[in-house]
Amino acid sequence: MAAKAKKRKVDKEDRRFQERWKLQYFFTESRNNCVCLICKQSVAIAKEFNVKRHYQTTHANAYDKFTGSDRAEKVKQLEAGLASQQRLFTRAKDSIENSTKASYEVVLIAKHGKPFTEGEFVKDCVDGG
Ligand SMILES: [Zn+2]
């Protein structure tokens, strides 16, 4: 009778990151991407087929030996590694911005042979050098 009870919503759920992929395929979710914890590659579409294929063709040889709590521990380690890598990236970006600003100041000092006070700096910008 109730044969039509099967809904089609399975389709949509299929394209979202599944928590179990962490343990099964060493994948995690980062900034709305499905990211491989091992090589940090992301898959274009978060489908189990893609994630599974990536794991099986790339990492299964080396990582299938981790089972049970070893596997969970490995996932935790890799997640921590990814998080610290992202923090590092943010810091590197900040320091590039700072050093760009610093080298601009060095150029101005070189041009005028002395450091600026803030007033002189503004005047230099307005006069165009
Ligand atoms: Zn990978």
Side-chain angles (χ1 to χ4, degrees), residues 19-37:
E19 204 55 32
R20 65 190 163 84
W21 293 352
K22 273 187 190 176
L23 271 179
Q24 282 181 292
Y25 312 120
F26 289 95
F27 263 79
T28 190
E29 192 179 31
S30 171
R31 296 167 190 174
N32 293 324
N33 276 328
C34 237
V35 182
C36 173
L37 282 167

Side-chain angles (χ1 to χ4, degrees), residues 3 15 23 26 28 30 38 49 52 62 64 70-71 73 77 81 91 94-97 106 112-114 117 125 127 129:
R15 285 169 189 251
L23 271 179
F26 289 95
T28 190
S30 171
I38 301 162
F49 176 80
K52 187 176 174 180
D64 264 358
D70 279 354
R71 201 167 174 92
E73 192 54 40
Q77 266 177 33
R91 264 213 302 274
D94 283 352
S95 84
I96 287 166
E97 272 159 21
V106 168
H112 292 264
K114 66 180 171 69
T117 66
C125 290
D127 292 348

Side-chain angles (χ1 to χ4, degrees), residues 50-61:
N50 295 355
V51 170
K52 187 176 174 180
R53 190 182 53 186
H54 176 88
Y55 174 74
Q56 286 184 336
T57 56
T58 320
H59 308 300
N61 278 347

